Structures are given as structure tokens and as C-alpha cells.
Amino acid sequence: SAVEKHRVSWWRVLTGWATWLWIPALGAVVGGLALDEGDLTVASCVWKFPLIAVGMALFLVCSVSPRLPFHRLHVPGAAFFARIAYSVYLSHKLVVHFVAGLCSRYAIAPASIGAVLAVDVAIVAVGSALYFAVKRPFLQLRNRIEA
């Protein structure tokens, strides 16, 4: 993270507080999720998404802090999903609409297990393709230029 690299003293303080940060993290996520899901007004978006984002960021600090046991926990596949996350973010909405169109064309219920699995698989496949075809080669190029 930027704080970890450029504000080392801030990072030490944050990770030092990790034994207590999970409490406001949980409160922020629960508070964000408790806001009315069906009422996506500007006011709910102003509070809902930032609360969840701040809570998740605090959980991330807790997970990498040496003061908590989570930083020693190895989750298979987590590194791969972390690498493709931005590519998934950029493409997931297009993939969802594409698969929804296929479902309607072939009379498949959009909430069925098959449709949900197809969306999930397609999102990971397109995100992976975007990562391997675009992001990774340009990151490698950047590293060669910087060296």
C-alpha cells in the first residue's frame, strides 16, 4: 500500500493498533451493509460504499499486522485473485450483462445456480485474460524500463 511504502511510521502505528482495529472494521462493514440495500439513493451511496471500503481496508491492515496471527495464514489462490482483482473490477459489469443476455436468449433463469456459476466463471476468465494479456506485460515493461 502507499502508506506502507511512503509513510512507514504511519504504517507501524496502524499495524500496532491491529489488535483493536478489527472492532471499528467490523462496525464499518456491518453499518454499511445495514443501510437499505433496495434504496440506492445518493445519500445511501455516500455512506454505504465508503463505510464498507474503510472497514475492508481496516480488515486488511489487521490481516497483515504481525501482532495478529492472520498474517501467517496462507490462503491458496488468494495471491492470484489479488493480482486479477483490478482487471475483474474493470470488466465485471460487461461480463454480467453479456451472460445475462445469453441467459435470456436461452431461457435460463438469471438467479439459477447455472446462471450464477456461469457469471462467476466468466468474470474470473475475462479478468484473468485481461490481466495476462494487458496488465502483466505492461508491468513487466515498466519494471524493465525502471531497472
Side-chain angles (χ1 to χ4, degrees):
S1 81
V3 174
E4 182 182 13
K5 300 285 185 215
H6 301 291
R7 299 285 188 246
V8 177
S9 61
W10 293 5
W11 185 250
R12 277 194 218 112
V13 169
L14 275 174
T15 56
W17 288 348
T19 52
W20 297 106
L21 280 180
W22 68 271
I23 297 169
L26 183 63
V29 171
V30 168
L33 293 174
L35 291 174
D36 188 17
E37 182 70 33
D39 180 34
L40 284 181
T41 62
V42 173
S44 72
C45 291
V46 165
W47 291 105
K48 179 184 198 89
F49 301 126
L51 275 173
I52 294 171
V54 167
M56 291 297 181
L58 291 175
F59 275 134
L60 181 63
V61 170
C62 292
S63 71
V64 298
S65 172
R67 294 188 57 133
L68 293 172
F70 303 118
H71 80 282
R72 291 186 294 271
L73 186 66
H74 177 73
V75 179
F80 170 73
F81 283 107
R83 282 189 203 102
I84 70 165
Y86 189 67
S87 299
V88 165
Y89 163 73
L90 291 175
S91 61
H92 77 280
K93 201 71 164 167
L94 293 170
V95 174
V96 169
H97 287 294
F98 177 76
V99 174
L102 287 176
C103 287
S104 68
R105 181 182 303 157
Y106 295 106
I108 300 171
S112 68
I113 298 287
V116 172
L117 286 175
V119 166
D120 289 344
V121 168
I123 286 173
V124 171
V126 170
S128 298
L130 188 57
Y131 172 79
F132 287 115
V134 178
K135 186 177 178 182
R136 189 173 75 165
F138 280 98
L139 287 174
Q140 291 170 340
L141 176 64
R142 181 196 67 186
N143 291 340
R144 279 194 302 258
I145 290 171
E146 285 180 350

